[in-house]
């Protein structure tokens, strides 16, 4: 799946940068809409990828196929309404943005993109890495988005237990990555989602053409 030649990295890097930039922008914009100005003050309401890159997370993206960006800092005290629900919505915004981009990319391919080599060369990794970033972040291990989404769905006492795991989350996450467990967890979902998007894209393409 992953081509580590210079040409291969050059082909996948734009898709990775777009996935990371829009993922973090979505987090920041969701927090901003809920009333928290922290991401705006910190310059995170932008799709410039260099405002969001985490060196280790980006390197893992290139080498392992999944990774992370620099987290958007939010202050839930500023949220309008319930703070726990607000954190869940902010966390959910990133993966949903990635899935939206992946679906739009699929439509681009089936509505003519396959006919143009360079469009296909850019869009196919764009789809793949957006789906990977969405699914990877839905793993319910802190500091990934999935932990905050899970906490938002649980009663407050149970949610507090999830928040208490944040001190150990990075260690657990690195163990999952370096033992290969992460790939076992996310790749079936990645293949399932991309296949579903391609099924819908193909059907729409057939209807139009």
């Amino acid at each position: 799946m992953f081509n580590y030649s210079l040409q291969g990295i050059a082909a996948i890097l734009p898709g990775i940068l777009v996935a990371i930039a829009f993922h973090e922008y979505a987090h920041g914009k969701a927090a901003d809409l809920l009333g928290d100005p922290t991401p705006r003050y910190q310059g995170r309401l932008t799709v410039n990828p260099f405002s969001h890159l985490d060196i280790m997370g980006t390197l893992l993206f290139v080498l392992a196929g999944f990774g992370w960006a620099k987290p958007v800092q939010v202050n839930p005290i500023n949220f309008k309404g319930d703070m726990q629900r607000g954190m869940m919505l902010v966390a959910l915004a990133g993966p949903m943005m990635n899935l939206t981009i992946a679906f739009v990319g699929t439509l681009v391919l089936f509505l003519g993109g396959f006919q143009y080599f360079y469009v296909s060369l850019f869009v196919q990794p764009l789809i793949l890495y957006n789906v990977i970033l969405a699914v990877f972040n839905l793993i319910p291990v802190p500091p990934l988005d999935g932990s905050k989404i899970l906490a938002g769905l649980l009663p407050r006492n149970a949610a507090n237990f999830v928040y208490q795991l944040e001190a150990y989350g990075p260690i657990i996450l690195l163990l999952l990555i370096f033992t290969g467990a992460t790939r076992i967890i996310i790749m079936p979902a990645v293949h399932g989602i991309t296949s579903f998007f391609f099924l819908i894209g193909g059907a729409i393409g057939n209807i139009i053409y």
Side-chain angles (χ1 to χ4, degrees):
M1 183 192 304
F2 307 110
N3 185 347
Y4 300 118
S5 67
L6 288 177
Q7 183 179 1
I9 292 174
I12 67 174
L13 194 57
I16 292 173
L17 294 178
V18 169
I20 288 174
F22 278 85
H23 180 100
E24 297 304 326
Y25 169 78
H27 284 318
K29 188 62 178 179
D32 191 65
L33 291 173
L34 287 169
D36 179 25
T38 306
R40 182 178 298 275
Y41 291 154
Q42 294 184 346
R44 302 301 298 276
L45 294 188
T46 175
V47 293
N48 179 357
F50 296 103
S51 297
H52 305 296
L53 292 183
D54 175 272
I55 294 176
M56 176 64 75
T58 306
L59 184 62
L60 278 172
F61 239 130
V62 174
L63 297 179
F66 43 82
W68 58 82
K70 183 170 61 176
V72 170
Q73 295 182 2
V74 299
N75 187 349
I77 293 176
N78 295 322
F79 288 164
K80 303 167 187 175
D82 183 74
M83 290 190 293
Q84 185 174 324
R85 176 178 173 273
M87 285 299 296
M88 180 183 70
L89 293 175
V90 170
L92 189 60
M96 291 304 297
M97 174 64 83
N98 290 129
L99 292 177
T100 300
I101 292 172
F103 182 69
V104 171
T106 305
L107 293 181
V108 168
L109 287 181
F110 282 95
L111 295 178
F114 277 126
Q115 300 175 24
Y116 302 95
F117 174 75
Y118 287 107
V119 172
S120 180
L121 185 68
F122 167 73
V123 173
Q124 290 193 68
L126 177 75
I127 295 168
L128 176 63
Y129 282 103
N130 271 280
V131 175
I132 287 175
L133 189 60
V135 175
F136 177 72
N137 272 278
L138 289 174
I139 297 174
V141 175
L144 298 180
D145 300 327
S147 65
K148 298 177 181 65
I149 296 170
L150 177 62
L153 296 172
L154 293 174
R156 193 166 299 277
N157 289 339
N160 288 336
F161 173 74
V162 176
Y163 291 133
Q164 290 170 5
L165 289 176
E166 289 187 356
Y168 311 101
I171 298 174
I172 297 172
L173 185 58
L174 287 174
L175 285 174
L176 289 174
I177 291 172
F178 288 112
T179 59
T182 309
R183 187 178 299 277
I184 296 172
I185 293 170
I186 73 171
M187 293 317 292
V190 169
H191 289 307
I193 292 171
T194 52
S195 296
F196 178 66
F197 284 176
F198 271 60
L199 181 66
I200 295 176
I204 294 174
N206 288 334
I207 291 172
I208 293 177
Y209 291 108

